[in-house]
Amino acid sequence: MEKITSLAKRRGFVFQSSEIYGGQNGAWDYGPMGVELKNRIAQAWWKEMTQLHDDIVGLDAAILMHPRTWEASGHVENFTDPLVDCKKCKSRFRADQIPEENLAAKKCPDCGGELTDTRKFNLMFKTHIGPAEDSASIIYLRPETAQGIYVNYKNIIQSNRMKIPFGIAQIGKAFRNEIVTKNFIFRTCEFEQMEMQFFVKPGTDEEWFGEWRKRRWAYYEKLGVKMDHLRWHQHGPGELAHYAKDAYDIEYLFPMGWRELEGVHNRSDYDLGRHTQYSGKDLQYIDQDNSAERYIPYIIETSAGLTRNLLMILCDAYDEEQVADKGNDDDWRTVLRFHPSLAPVTVAVLPLMKKDGLAELAQDIRKELKEDFATDYDQGGAIGRRYRRQDEAGTPFCVTIDYESKDNGSVTLRFRDSMEQVRVNRTELAARLRKEIREYKRTK
Ligand code: ATP
C-alpha cells in the first residue's frame, strides 16, 4: 500500500487533504490523474446501470435532507460504531475490530494500557442550518445516498411512468465520522458512493437479489479486474444491518487483506415502510396492470464506494515487471495496467525528436486525436524514459512520431502491456485505437 500511496502522490492521483497544514484526517484530494480516473470509473458504472438497463433511471439528490429522513431510516438510532479509547496512549479503536481478549481484559492492543468502557458513537456528521444553533436547526450530512432515492421514488414513478420492477441509480458524496481511517483512501470521512435501488414486488425479491449478485459480479469481470482477487461474503445473523433481510459483500483482496468493496442487500420493505410511517404519505405502489393491486415494494440495493473502487482499481492495476530492455536485463518498470476505458490518459503522443518538424507533426496528430481520446504530449528526454513515465501513469497506448512519419504518414503505436510496437498509418490511427479499446483483454 505504501508503494501505491507514493505513486498516487507522485503522479497526481491522490493528495492528502490540506497537506500544507499537516493534513486533514479522513479526507483526500484527487489530482489531475485521480479526477480523470474517478470520473471514468463513475462513467463505467453509470453506463452499466442506466444506459445498459432500460428499467433503471438516474437521480442526483441533495446531500442535505430533511432531518426526519434520518429518523425514519434508522440512522439516528442505529448508525453507531462501538468505541473504546486507551487511557494511556490515547489511541482510539472500534471495539469490534480489536481482539476479543483485549476487549475482555480492557487492555490496549497497542501499548497494553487500560481501555475505557465501550460506548456507542453515531457516525453521522451533524451541523446546523440557518443562523440559530439550536436543536430545531440540526441537519445531517447524508451518510449514504440511498435515502435520497427512497424519498424520490414516488416522484420518479409519476414523472417517468416507471413500472415495477425498476431501479434508480445515483452517484454522490456521503459522509461518515469514521473512528479509524487508515489504509489510504479505503475508509474516509468524506467519500463517494455509487448506489442503485431496485424496486420489486414482494415475493420476487429473492430472485432479484440473486440476479443482482450475478450482474454485479459480471460487471467487475468486464472491467478486467483480477477475478481471483474477488470473493463473496454473506452476512451472518449478527452482521446484518437493521434494514437487511439478506446481504452479501463483494470483497477484494487489498494489500491489507480481504475487505468489502460493494454490498448487495435485500432491504425488504423496511425503507419505504418507515418513510410511510414518518412522512404520513402513502408510498404504496399501485399496479395498474394488475387490478390496481397495492403494495410496498421490496428493495434490492447494490451499493459500491466510488473512491473505494478507485483504490481497488489502483491496487489491481499496479505491477512491477522486469523487462529485458536494450540488453540490460535488470531493468524494472512500474506499470498500471488499467483497462483502456478507465485510464486517465488513453494515448500519449511522443515526437522522437523536438527538431526537424517532428514536434509540430506530433502536435498536429495529437490535435486530431483530442476530439475522441484523452491525450497527453511529451517531448522531453529519451524515448525509453518517456514510455516508462506513461507506463507508470497507466497510459495504454503511445504514438511515436519519427522521420518516417514525415515521409509516409505512418506512426509507431506502442502497447503498454506487451510493449509491442506496430506501424500504423496516421489516417487509420483513431479507428485502430477504438478497436483496441473495445477488444482489450488483460493478459498480465
Ligand atoms: P463498513 O462495514 O466497512 O463500515 P458498511 O458495510 O457500513 O462498511 P455500506 O454502508 O454498505 O458500508 O456502504 C456501501 C459501500 O460504500 C461500501 O461497500 C464501501 O465501498 C463504501 N463505503 C462505506 N463507508 C465508506 C468509507 N468510510 N469510506 C469509503 N468508502 C466507504
Side-chain angles (χ1 to χ4, degrees), residues 45-46 59-61 142 145 149 168-172 193-195:
W45 184 89
W46 193 257
L59 175 74
D60 184 14
R142 68 179 176 199
T145 58
I149 295 181
I168 304 175
Q170 173 166 229
I171 299 177
Q193 288 187 314
M194 309 184 283
E195 295 197 307

Side-chain angles (χ1 to χ4, degrees), residues 176 178 186-188 191 193 260-261 265 303 305 308:
R176 295 182 186 179
E178 298 280 1
F186 178 80
R187 184 182 300 287
T188 51
F191 57 101
Q193 288 187 314
E260 174 178 339
L261 175 68
H265 309 130
S303 174
R308 196 173 286 181

Side-chain angles (χ1 to χ4, degrees), residues 349-369 377 379 399-412 423 426 429:
V349 182
L350 318 169
L352 193 63
M353 305 276 181
K354 275 184 260 184
K355 54 183 188 179
D356 301 329
L358 293 187
E360 289 76 8
L361 181 58
Q363 287 285 16
D364 206 37
I365 291 177
R366 182 194 188 188
K367 207 167 146 212
E368 262 171 31
L369 295 173
Y377 175 83
Q379 62 176 27
V399 167
T400 310
I401 315 304
D402 56 17
Y403 289 99
E404 218 185 311
S405 313
K406 269 179 75 178
D407 294 342
N408 65 10
S410 71
V411 298
T412 300
R423 286 306 284 192
R426 174 180 176 175
L429 189 56

Side-chain angles (χ1 to χ4, degrees), residues 4 226 252 311-320 334-339 391 394 416 442 444:
I4 288 164
K226 290 178 191 151
Y252 181 80
L311 178 62
M312 179 278 283
I313 292 289
L314 271 178
C315 295
D316 202 65
Y318 187 89
D319 195 13
E320 288 172 9
T334 300
V335 49
L336 289 177
R337 300 188 191 278
F338 293 136
H339 191 287
D391 290 343
R416 174 198 66 203
R442 185 167 172 172
K444 291 185 183 175

Side-chain angles (χ1 to χ4, degrees), residues 2-42:
E2 249 169 55
K3 282 184 177 173
I4 288 164
T5 311
S6 118
L7 170 74
K9 179 172 183 197
R10 191 167 71 244
R11 298 310 305 263
F13 284 93
V14 184
F15 306 121
Q16 201 182 8
S17 162
S18 328
E19 194 181 350
I20 61 167
Y21 290 105
Q24 175 55 51
N25 208 9
W28 296 85
D29 298 340
Y30 292 81
M33 298 294 273
V35 65
E36 295 292 344
L37 181 59
K38 186 149 70 70
N39 284 344
R40 297 222 211 301
I41 296 171

